[in-house]
Amino acid sequence: MSDLDLSLARAALDVTPPPGLGAQVEAIASRGMVAIRGDLTDAGFVAALQAATGCAVPEIRQSTQAGDTRVLWMSTDEVMVFCEWGAAPGIVEAFMEKAGDTHVLALDVSDARAVFRVSGEKAWRVLAKGAPVDLAPGQFGTGEIRRTRIATVAAGIVKTGDDEFEVFCFRSLAAYLWNWLCVGAGAESLSDL
Amino acid sequence: MLLIQCPACGVEAEETEFAAGGEAHIVRPGPGCTDAEWASYLFDRKNPRGVHYERWRHAFGCGKWFHMARHTHTLEVFGVYAADVLDPPQEIKDRIAERTAP
Amino acid sequence: MTRLANGGALIDRDTPVSFTFDGKQFRGVKGDTLASAMLANGVKLVNRSYKYHRPRGVVTSGPEEPNGLVNLGSGNRHEPNIRMTQIELFDGLEATSQNRYPSLRNDVGVLNAAASRLYPAGFYYKTFIHPRHAWKYLFEPMIRRIAGLGRAPTEADPDTYEHQYAFCDTLIAGGGASGLLAARRAGEAGGRVMLVEQTERLGGRLLVDDDAEIDGKPAREWVAEQVAALEAMENVTIRLRTCCSAAYDHGYALLYERRTDHTMPTGPRHRLWRVRTKQIIGATGMIERPIPFYGNDFPGVMLASAVRDYVKLWGVAPGQTTVLYTTNDDGYRTALALHEAGCKVAAILDSRADPAGLLVEQAKTAGITVHPSTGIGKTEGTKDGVTAIHTVPLGKGDDVALGEKIDCDCVAMAGGWSPVVHLYSHSGGKVMWDAGRAMYRPDPDNPPRDSSGEAYVRMVGGATGALTTQDVLTSAAGNGEGVSVHGPAEQPTASVWFTPSHGKAALGGKHFLDYQNDVTVADIRLAAREGFESVEHAKRYTTLGMATDQGKLSNINGHAILADTLGKAMPEVGTTTFRPPYTPISMGSIAGQQKGSLFKPFRQTALHEWHAEQGAEFEPVGDWRRPYRYQKGGEGRETSITREIRRVREKVGLLDASTLGKLIVRGPDAGKFLDLMYTNMMSTLKPGKCRYGLMCDDNGFLMDDGVVARLDEQTFLCHTTSGGSDRVHAWMEEWLQTEWFDLKVLTANVTEQWSQFAVAGPNARALLDRLEGDVDFAALPFMGFADGTLGGMPVRVFRISFSGELSYELATPTAFAVSLWELLLGSGDDLGVGPYGTEALHVLRAEKGFIVIGDETDGTVTPHDVGMSWAVSKKKEDFLGKRAMERPDLTRKGRKQLVGLLTEDPNFVLPDGAHALSADGTRAIGHVTSTYHSPTIKRSIAMALIEGGMDRMGEVLEIGIDRKTTVKAVIASPVFYDKDGARQNV
C-alpha cells in the first residue's frame, strides 16, 4: 500500500452543544475501535488480547484498562477495544498474529460508531430518559458497560467516572442521538430530577 | 411488559430489549423428509394456554439467543436456559411441575 | 361570593389569583383549584352534559370528577376534557366550558333533554341502521356535530414532555394516611422507596377528617411528622402531582407527573415515569358514591366528602343551605363541618332506620334534624342549581308518596365508599364483593403476580375496604409497628342503590348513574329487559362507565341496579375490567421527547450533508434516507432522473452505496456455513473473487441478495440489501446460535465501518486511473476485488456492476468517505463525472432486468420464479429453502414468473402494481413489479410476475389501469438493454 494521508479522515459529527444544558454533552471526535470475537476463556484468546492491548479479558459487563486502551465486554464471545484512532489496525494485526490458529475474529471498526460523553451530577438522569436501565449512583458502577437502547437506538453505555458516561451507537444514527441527548440534557428538565 | 433475565449476559431487563422468536425445540427435519414433515416444521405451533417453551433474543443487549419457559396466562417465568440445548434442563422441568401442581 | 370567613387549610387568602372562565374575569386565591374558585365566585353551572345537555356543576373535589370538564388554555395550548377539580389555579389561567352552543347558559342542545324520552339506551344502534349509506353521509356527521365533549386542538402542541426510567424496591401509590405510614415503614426497612401522590398535598383525608388522634397527636400533626420523617430519609423519594396510572406485568408501573400544569410552563410539561419495582403498595384510598335519586344531577348536588373538602380545605361553602342524604355515619362529618363553618344544614336524611353513634349524636346536639329511613324523592332546581328537595320514605317499596319539601341550594350525598382497586386489577388481581360493607375490595388470595409468581401488589388502607382511621393505619403498618388511633366509632352503611321518586320510578324522573355519559337507572333496566344481561354487554349498550372518568362514581351503582333488575346477587353480575390508565394521561407524555425530528431515527450516510447541499431529494430505504435524485435549478423529477441515467450510460456517475449491508463471516467452517445460507455454492469461491448470491428462508422464498467476496481462506465479506444488513446479520446469528452451533464461524456487521461508492459508466476506468494509488484497475477482472490506496486513502475496489456499465465499487473506511467522494468528483469534470440517485439506479438496473428484493419479490417468490434457477445449487445436500422448493406448490406449473412487459404505446408507463388480466378478463394473472420510462431505449419498460410467464413470450396482455381502462402490453424478456452484457466487460 502507498502511504495514507490521515488528514483526510473526518469525525462522525462536528458539533457543539446548545446553551441551557443541565449536564455536559460532547461528541468525541475520534476513537479507535476493534471488535474482537472468539472464546473469551481460551488461553490463546486471553494471551492475544493481553499482547495486543495490555488488557486482561474483562469480567461479564465490565471493562479493563491499560493506559489509553480499554477493553469492553460486549457479549459472551465478544469484546470491543477502545483506543486512539489510528491505533486500531496495529491492534488487529498484533491480535491476529498472536492468536495464530485460535478461532477468532478481529476487525478495525473505528469508523462504524460514534461516541458521546455525558457528564455531570444529572448525567445518569439524561440517559434514564430513554434507556430502560438502572443507572442510579450505587447501582451502576464505574467501568461497567451495558448494551441497551436509548429511545429506539441500539446503544452502549459505559460508566467512565463518578458522574461520567460514554455512550456509543452506530455512526449513521449519531446525529439523531446527539440531538436526543441535547434535548434530554436541558437544564429545566433536569432541575427537579 | 415482561421482565426477562438473559442467561447469557445476566442482565435482567424489560421486554423492549428482547425479540421474541416463537416456539422452542422445533426440530428441523433433514432434506429427505416428507412434505408433511416439512410442512409441520414450517407451520405447526402449539400456542398453549399454559406452559410454553419459547425462543428469545437479547436483541438490544448482548445479542444472544436463549430459551425461556413461561406461562402464557399468568406470565410466570419458570426459567431461562441456553439456546444450544434440545430439551429444557431438569431443574426447570421440576420448577414447572412444582408451580403448576393443582 | 361564598368564600367563608374562616378556614381553608390549603389557601392563602392574601394572594389573589385572576383567571378567566368563558372569557369572563374571575378571582380566586392561591391554593384554589378551578373548581373551588368557581364555587367561591358563586358559580355552580360549569358544564352541559354529553347527551341531554343538562346543566351540570362539580360533584367531587378530586380526579374522579365526572361533570366539571373544561377546555384549558387557548390556541396551541388548548386542551379539552380537563377536570376542574384537579386544576390548580394560577394567574392567567384560561378555561372555557364545553359541549354547549352558543353559550353555557343558553344551550340549544338542551332540546335533546326535552326529547329525552325519545333517546333511550341503544337509541343510535336502533335508529340509524337503515338505509346503510345514510350512516356515512348523513347520520354520522350529524351525530358527531351534536355529541362529544371537548374539541380536539387544531395546532401543534408547543409544550415538551419526557420519560424517565426508574427502579425501586417499593412504590407506594397514594400519600394519604395509609400511604404515609406504609412509606415510613418501607423506608425504615431500607431499600429504595418511591412515594407518589396525585395531588399537590400529602395527608389525604386526614387533612379534612381530623377528628381522630393518632399516637396521641392530632391527625394533622401526625401527618406533618410522617412527612418530615420521610423527607429526611435518603432512600425515600416523594413526588407530588404524580399519579400511579398503571400497574402492569412483572412490577412495571407508569407514573404520570403533571409537572407544570399548576403554573406557567418551564421545561417539560408532563413526565411519564416508567418504573420497575419489586413491590407496589396501593394506598389509593376510596371514592365516595353518589346516590341515585330523581334529579340528582342539578348543580349543587355533590358528594358529601367533597362538600366538606371545599369547606375545610378551600374555605368555600358550596351552598348556604344544605341537605345531607346519607347512608352511613361518615356523612355526618359533612353536616358537622358545615355547621362549624356557620352554614345551615336544613336536614339530614339517613337511609338507616336507627342511626346512632357519636357522629350522629354530635349532629343532633348541634341542632340538626335527622330523618331516619328517609331519602330524596324529587329535586327541584334551575340551571344555576338545586333549589329544593322532597323527602321520601325508604324501605316501603317503590310506590310511595313524597314527603315534605325542603328548600336548599346544596345537596350532599353520602352513598358509601368504594375502594380504589384499579392498581390491583390492572395486571390480573381479582376483586371480591364484600356484602357487609357493600363494596368490591381486593381479594387477598388472588393478587397480581410478578415473574416468579409472587404477589407484587399489596393494597393498604381505604383501598382494602378499611373504613375507619384505625383500620386504615393497621392495614398500612403491615408487619411493621402499628399505631394507636382514638376516633369515633361508626355504624355500618346501608347502601341505597335507588331512591323511589314520586310514585313509581316509571313516571320518568331521571335517576342518574353516570353523569358524564348521561346514563340513568332506567337505561340499565331497559338494557336488562332487552337481554343485555352480562355486565359487559349492559356497559356497552348503555355506555355506563365508558366516559373519560371510566365509571369511577357510577359503576358500582349501575351494577347494583343491573343485579337488582335481574334478581341476582352482586357477585353473580360481576364487575367490568379496570384498565389503565387510572385517569386520562396526555398524548404528549406518551410520546415523551420523541417528537418532531426525534420521532423516528433515520440512518444517514457520511455524505448526507453533502447530498442535501447538492439538492438531493431523499427517499426512505429501510431505516436509511438515500438521495432519490439531485435536483438542479428548478428542473422536474423526470429531467433530473434522465440526466443522471444518461450520465451513467454515456459518461461516468457516482452512487453513494454506503447503505449496502456488509457482513464479515469468518472461521474454518465459514464456507460450509455460507453454503447453507445461500442457495448457490459459496465454499468454492476463490480468495480475491466475488460471487452474486441469493438467500432464501426455509419456506423457499427469496429474502435477500448481494455480492459475496472471499477475503481469504477463512474470511468472507457478504453484501446485503440496504434494508437487510441488520436482518441478515441477525438471521446468520440465529442459525449459528440455535441450529448449527457446532460450526466454527464468527460474524460481524461492518456495514458502517465502510462507505461504498459505485463508479459506473464508460469513463469509470479513465476517472480512476487519474488518481494516485496502487490499484491496477485495468487488470482487475469482472467479479474480482483488490485492496489498495487511492489518493492517500485506503480502499477496497470491487469490479461489480448493478447498472450493466463498466463499474467499480470503492469501499473506504467511513472516516475517509467525504474526502474520497470529493476527490472522485473533482477529478473528472471533462469526463462528465457527477452523482446519481436511487431512482436512476433503479431504472438502470431495470433496463438490465436485475431484480430488487422487495420489488420483484414479496415473500412468496422463489429464485426459480424470477428466472434465477442458475443460482440454485443442485449439488448441495442442504441449504435454507432447498427442501421447501421441492414442495408441490413450489414446483407446479403456472406459478407467477418474472417477465418483461412492453406496452403497445411506448410512451405509456404502467402504474406500479397494475394487474394483468386473464384472456376472458375475469381474473388477475399477475402484477407489475417495476415500471419506468427508459431514457436509454426511449420507451416504457416494466417487469411483472405473470402466471406461467416464461412460456408466454410474445403474448399480448391486457393490463388494468382503473375500473374502466386497460392497456395492451406484450410479454418480453426482462433484459431490455445490452442483452449479452458487453458493456460491463470492457
Side-chain angles (χ1 to χ4, degrees):
Chain A
M1 264 193 229
S2 340
D3 288 341
L4 295 182
D5 181 355
L6 298 187
S7 70
L8 294 170
R10 304 277 177 92
L13 218 51
D14 182 14
V15 283
T16 47
L21 299 189
Q24 292 77 53
V25 290
E26 62 177 300
I28 293 172
S30 67
R31 168 71 54 82
M33 296 189 205
V34 180
I36 300 182
R37 293 193 67 181
D39 179 353
L40 306 192
T41 63
D42 182 282
F45 185 98
V46 175
L49 188 69
Q50 185 72 42
T53 66
C55 296
V57 174
E59 295 293 314
I60 190 165
R61 302 200 311 277
Q62 298 294 328
S63 51
T64 51
Q65 189 158 4
D68 288 338
T69 304
R70 276 183 285 157
V71 177
L72 313 175
W73 189 95
M74 294 290 276
S75 187
T76 49
D77 56 0
E78 184 175 356
V79 295
M80 172 81 83
V81 181
F82 275 8
C83 56
E84 271 189 54
W85 192 87
I91 290 176
V92 170
E93 202 172 327
F95 180 86
M96 292 305 287
E97 190 184 321
K98 184 81 181 174
D101 289 340
T102 314
H103 174 45
V104 291
L105 172 66
L107 296 165
D108 175 5
V109 288
S110 305
D111 298 343
R113 291 174 178 82
V115 188
F116 304 102
R117 183 173 292 125
V118 187
S119 55
E121 201 192 334
K122 302 283 180 68
W124 71 278
R125 288 292 200 182
V126 176
L127 301 176
K129 292 180 182 189
V133 179
D134 194 352
L135 298 168
Q139 306 293 324
F140 193 79
T142 299
E144 200 169 339
I145 174 178
R146 181 72 152 76
R147 292 174 74 187
T148 181
R149 61 180 179 85
I150 295 179
T152 54
V153 173
I157 298 172
V158 195
K159 190 163 181 179
T160 48
D162 275 350
D163 292 318
E164 186 184 274
F165 296 85
E166 283 185 6
V167 178
F168 55 94
C169 69
F170 275 124
R171 187 174 180 132
S172 62
L173 294 163
Y176 177 89
L177 190 56
W178 169 255
N179 291 332
W180 190 95
L181 289 170
C182 288
V183 170
E188 283 175 334
S189 73
L190 293 173
S191 64
D192 62 336
L193 279 172
Chain B
M1 180 173 39
L2 305 182
L3 188 66
I4 297 170
Q5 181 157 33
C6 170
C9 71
V11 153
E12 189 179 54
E14 65 169 49
E15 196 178 332
T16 61
E17 277 196 14
F18 298 87
E23 187 179 325
H25 305 308
I26 289 172
V27 177
R28 183 175 185 266
C33 69
T34 65
D35 282 341
E37 282 166 342
W38 192 257
S40 176
Y41 154 70
L42 288 179
F43 307 124
D44 291 348
R45 297 296 181 269
K46 293 194 181 80
N47 193 27
R49 185 185 197 270
V51 180
H52 195 224
Y53 299 98
E54 36 195 49
R55 308 181 325 137
W56 287 80
R57 177 174 173 252
H58 195 186
F60 278 99
C62 67
K64 292 302 175 211
W65 283 90
F66 59 91
H67 286 132
M68 179 157 86
R70 186 176 71 96
H71 195 289
T72 57
H73 180 60
T74 67
L75 307 185
E76 181 170 345
V77 175
F78 303 109
V80 290
Y81 52 102
D84 57 356
V85 298
L86 305 177
D87 209 27
Q90 190 58 42
E91 61 182 27
I92 288 176
K93 289 182 181 169
D94 291 346
R95 166 110 183 134
I96 291 169
E98 178 199 322
R99 296 292 304 174
T100 56
Chain C
M1 291 293 283
T2 60
R3 184 79 72 185
L4 295 162
N6 296 303
L10 301 179
I11 57 168
D12 171 6
R13 289 167 187 268
D14 300 330
T15 310
V17 176
S18 68
F19 66 100
T20 64
F21 184 82
D22 278 346
K24 194 179 159 197
Q25 198 79 29
F26 288 95
R27 297 192 92 169
V29 295
K30 191 172 173 218
D32 262 328
T33 64
L34 180 56
S36 71
M38 292 302 286
L39 285 171
N41 280 281
V43 179
K44 288 200 190 108
L45 170 66
V46 293
N47 201 0
R48 290 281 177 168
S49 72
Y50 175 72
K51 186 170 163 189
Y52 300 130
H53 289 246
R54 286 168 72 106
R56 292 281 169 81
V58 294
V59 183
T60 75
S61 57
E64 64 273 28
E65 175 61 31
N67 279 347
L69 304 185
V70 294
N71 295 308
L72 198 58
S74 60
N76 57 11
R77 286 206 157 83
H78 163 97
E79 193 176 18
N81 298 344
I82 306 299
R83 294 162 296 283
M84 300 170 72
T85 49
Q86 282 192 296
I87 300 168
E88 294 172 59
L89 214 56
F90 59 88
D91 248 328
L93 179 147
E94 296 173 68
T96 52
S97 56
Q98 303 184 157
N99 201 29
R100 81 294 189 267
Y101 180 83
S103 75
L104 185 58
R105 295 187 56 78
N106 300 298
D107 173 31
V108 297
V110 78
L111 291 171
N112 277 11
S116 68
R117 298 287 297 274
L118 303 176
Y119 295 100
F123 168 74
Y124 294 105
Y125 298 135
K126 291 165 181 165
T127 310
F128 296 112
I129 288 177
H130 300 289
R132 282 191 73 82
H133 63 269
W135 175 254
K136 187 173 174 189
Y137 298 105
L138 181 64
F139 299 146
E140 190 187 349
M142 181 183 80
I143 292 166
R144 285 206 183 278
R145 206 161 44 240
I146 299 167
L149 297 169
R151 295 276 169 251
T154 53
E155 295 171 49
D157 184 351
D159 282 313
T160 60
Y161 303 83
E162 69 177 25
H163 293 175
Q164 178 73 209
Y165 282 94
F167 297 79
C168 62
D169 296 295
T170 307
L171 170 66
I172 292 142
S178 61
L180 288 173
L181 185 60
R184 181 90 191 264
R185 293 291 176 262
E188 286 161 355
R192 286 189 287 176
V193 177
M194 269 187 102
L195 170 64
V196 296
E197 160 58 40
Q198 63 187 346
T199 70
E200 80 299 343
R201 59 189 183 272
L202 294 168
R205 294 223 60 78
L206 287 184
L207 301 182
V208 179
D209 301 336
D210 50 2
D211 50 19
E213 276 198 347
I214 307 170
D215 276 349
K217 295 173 201 99
R220 291 174 150 276
E221 204 175 294
W222 182 84
V223 167
E225 210 179 278
Q226 305 314 308
V227 173
L230 289 169
E231 283 173 346
M233 291 184 188
E234 279 196 1
N235 57 330
V236 177
T237 309
I238 302 173
R239 295 209 82 92
L240 302 178
R241 299 184 181 91
T242 304
C243 177
C244 184
S245 291
Y248 294 108
D249 309 318
H250 295 184
Y252 181 51
L254 272 194
L255 313 180
Y256 178 57
E257 181 177 12
R258 293 178 304 122
R259 198 174 160 274
T260 65
D261 278 356
H262 59 293
T263 176
M264 291 310 238
T266 50
R269 179 172 166 231
H270 297 152
R271 180 181 287 136
L272 199 66
W273 290 78
R274 309 175 68 169
V275 180
R276 271 300 163 172
T277 179
K278 294 195 172 66
Q279 185 189 203
I280 293 178
I281 294 182
T284 47
M286 298 179 137
I287 292 176
E288 197 168 29
R289 288 194 294 267
I291 306 175
F293 58 85
Y294 173 17
N296 62 346
D297 70 326
F298 275 108
V301 178
M302 301 168 70
L303 296 179
S305 55
V307 170
R308 64 181 188 266
D309 285 350
Y310 286 112
V311 170
K312 296 183 80 165
L313 295 178
W314 292 286
V316 176
Q320 300 306 313
T321 308
T322 301
V323 169
L324 169 70
Y325 181 7
T326 188
T327 64
N328 54 57
D329 283 11
D330 179 67
Y332 284 76
R333 289 194 170 96
T334 299
L336 293 167
L338 285 163
H339 179 76
E340 199 179 312
C343 300
K344 187 180 171 192
V345 180
I348 295 177
L349 315 183
D350 196 319
S351 65
R352 297 168 301 178
D354 190 18
L358 184 62
L359 293 167
V360 178
E361 290 314 313
Q362 284 177 347
K364 286 179 178 167
T365 308
I368 305 170
T369 317
V370 176
H371 301 262
S373 297
T374 305
I376 294 177
K378 185 184 173 190
T379 315
E380 291 177 15
T382 68
K383 63 182 121 187
D384 288 314
V386 59
T387 54
I389 61 101
H390 296 260
T391 64
V392 69
L394 294 176
K396 297 184 174 150
D398 281 3
D399 193 6
V400 287
L402 292 178
E404 70 176 297
K405 175 179 173 182
I406 303 174
D407 290 333
C408 61
D409 59 354
C410 176
V411 174
M413 304 176 282
W417 291 85
S418 299
V420 177
V421 297
H422 297 63
L423 292 181
Y424 201 71
S425 300
H426 282 170
S427 62
K430 298 278 179 273
V431 295
M432 59 193 289
W433 180 250
D434 182 332
R437 286 184 279 184
M439 58 172 67
Y440 277 106
R441 63 177 171 84
D443 176 358
D445 293 334
N446 284 296
R449 295 180 188 277
D450 63 15
S451 60
S452 54
E454 302 299 324
Y456 87 92
V457 181
R458 179 165 73 92
M459 303 303 273
V460 297
T464 64
L467 286 163
T468 65
T469 307
Q470 175 71 69
D471 290 348
V472 161
L473 291 176
T474 301
S475 78
N479 298 327
E481 192 188 336
V483 290
S484 67
V485 179
H486 290 284
E490 295 179 32
Q491 310 300 308
T493 299
S495 288
V496 176
W497 308 119
F498 174 74
T499 317
S501 43
H502 57 121
K504 290 182 174 157
L507 289 180
K510 289 201 183 301
H511 298 60
F512 280 93
L513 293 167
D514 185 327
Y515 292 116
Q516 207 172 102
N517 267 355
D518 274 348
V519 180
T520 67
V521 170
D523 290 330
I524 297 291
R525 289 182 172 168
L526 178 70
R529 280 204 305 277
E530 295 193 349
F532 297 92
E533 297 184 0
S534 151
V535 67
E536 298 289 355
H537 289 157
K539 164 183 169 171
R540 282 154 185 84
Y541 194 56
T542 62
T543 72
L544 175 82
M546 288 170 69
T548 67
D549 64 342
Q550 291 284 288
K552 289 187 179 66
L553 298 190
S554 61
N555 277 352
I556 302 298
N557 285 340
H559 299 167
I561 296 289
L562 183 64
D564 181 59
T565 311
L566 297 171
K568 289 181 176 173
M570 279 293 268
E572 291 178 74
V573 167
T575 183
T576 51
T577 310
F578 298 86
R579 291 202 172 84
Y582 174 63
T583 43
I585 66 176
S586 61
M587 298 300 281
S589 71
I590 295 169
Q593 69 181 57
Q594 282 176 248
K595 64 174 193 171
S597 65
L598 296 182
F599 177 63
K600 182 190 188 325
F602 292 114
R603 300 173 73 179
Q604 302 176 351
T605 72
L607 294 172
H608 190 85
E609 275 176 41
W610 186 93
H611 295 316
E613 283 162 12
Q614 298 300 312
E617 177 189 336
F618 290 96
E619 72 162 340
V621 179
D623 289 334
W624 294 93
R625 282 288 183 271
R626 297 187 69 181
Y628 173 87
R629 59 145 181 164
Y630 300 85
Q631 186 178 24
K632 286 220 163 134
E635 71 185 4
R637 275 192 176 188
E638 199 68 32
T639 312
S640 320
I641 294 160
T642 302
R643 176 171 50 70
E644 293 171 15
I645 292 165
R646 293 183 63 175
R647 171 178 289 142
V648 175
R649 292 275 179 243
E650 294 162 18
K651 292 164 182 165
V652 57
L654 297 185
L655 176 81
D656 181 5
S658 304
T659 58
L660 282 179
K662 303 162 202 86
L663 309 176
I664 295 290
V665 177
R666 178 182 159 79
D669 296 324
K672 191 173 169 189
F673 174 63
L674 292 183
D675 279 349
L676 288 162
M677 299 304 290
Y678 286 91
T679 61
N680 41 349
M681 195 78 93
M682 288 300 170
S683 53
T684 55
L685 186 61
K686 298 274 178 282
K689 293 289 185 190
C690 301
R691 183 171 291 166
Y692 174 76
L694 295 178
M695 275 187 172
C696 286
D697 58 19
D698 246 344
N699 293 292
F701 298 137
L702 280 165
M703 59 170 276
D704 210 88
D705 69 344
V707 170
V708 177
R710 189 163 200 168
L711 303 183
D712 58 46
E713 192 55 39
Q714 285 205 13
T715 315
F716 292 81
L717 166 63
C718 303
H719 288 102
T720 76
T721 56
S722 289
S725 61
D726 293 343
R727 184 164 40 90
V728 174
H729 184 228
W731 176 245
M732 288 181 173
E733 282 291 326
E734 180 178 350
W735 288 101
L736 284 171
Q737 291 178 36
T738 68
E739 188 73 23
W740 297 313
F741 34 80
D742 51 328
L743 294 183
K744 290 181 92 170
V745 177
L746 293 165
T747 72
N749 187 344
V750 295
T751 301
E752 303 212 17
Q753 169 66 17
W754 297 91
S755 290
Q756 197 151 323
F757 314 136
V759 183
N763 292 344
R765 191 178 296 149
L767 172 68
L768 293 168
D769 279 341
R770 288 180 181 183
L771 307 179
E772 191 187 329
D774 53 9
V775 180
D776 186 344
F777 292 96
L780 190 61
F782 187 61
M783 297 307 267
F785 74 89
D787 289 328
T789 307
L790 212 54
M793 291 171 271
V795 289
R796 176 173 288 149
V797 183
F798 304 89
R799 174 90 190 268
I800 51 181
S801 179
F802 196 46
S803 56
E805 294 300 321
L806 171 66
S807 167
Y808 298 86
E809 288 202 8
L810 269 52
T812 189
T814 297
F816 295 100
V818 173
S819 298
L820 181 61
W821 181 265
E822 286 178 343
L823 177 68
L824 289 163
L825 274 171
S827 303
D829 273 351
D830 55 321
L831 298 173
V833 66
Y836 64 103
T838 53
E839 186 64 1
L841 163 81
H842 277 107
V843 179
L844 288 162
R845 65 90 196 174
E847 288 173 343
K848 288 291 297 170
F850 296 147
I851 66 160
V852 164
I853 298 288
D855 283 357
E856 277 61 57
T857 71
D858 59 4
T860 67
V861 175
T862 72
H864 302 295
D865 296 339
V866 292
M868 295 178 126
S869 301
W870 55 266
V872 181
S873 167
K874 293 188 181 67
K875 292 181 196 154
K876 293 194 291 186
E877 187 194 342
D878 193 12
F879 59 84
L880 294 177
K882 178 182 169 76
R883 177 62 187 83
M885 281 184 234
E886 295 161 7
R887 296 181 67 215
D889 190 59
L890 273 65
T891 54
R892 71 177 163 81
K893 287 265 178 219
R895 282 184 64 81
K896 288 182 187 172
Q897 293 173 321
L898 189 71
V899 294
L901 288 181
L902 291 169
T903 47
E904 192 179 54
D905 172 0
N907 294 317
F908 185 84
V909 178
L910 290 167
D912 217 339
H915 284 223
L917 304 179
S918 59
D920 60 1
T922 59
R923 208 167 60 80
I925 58 165
H927 62 275
V928 173
T929 60
S930 290
T931 168
Y932 304 98
H933 173 77
S934 163
T936 310
I937 63 169
K938 299 189 172 54
R939 62 154 297 137
S940 139
I941 57 170
M943 289 195 264
L945 285 164
I946 303 292
E947 288 178 6
M950 289 171 191
D951 297 328
R952 300 168 77 160
M953 289 294 152
E955 192 174 318
V956 176
L957 297 179
E958 297 283 346
I959 312 290
I961 305 303
D962 55 36
R963 281 162 184 268
K964 291 175 184 149
T965 323
T966 60
V967 300
K968 287 186 163 51
V970 63
I971 297 181
S973 157
V975 186
F976 300 100
Y977 179 62
D978 186 27
K979 289 190 199 306
D980 40 9
R983 299 183 64 86
Q984 67 191 19
N985 293 317
V986 289

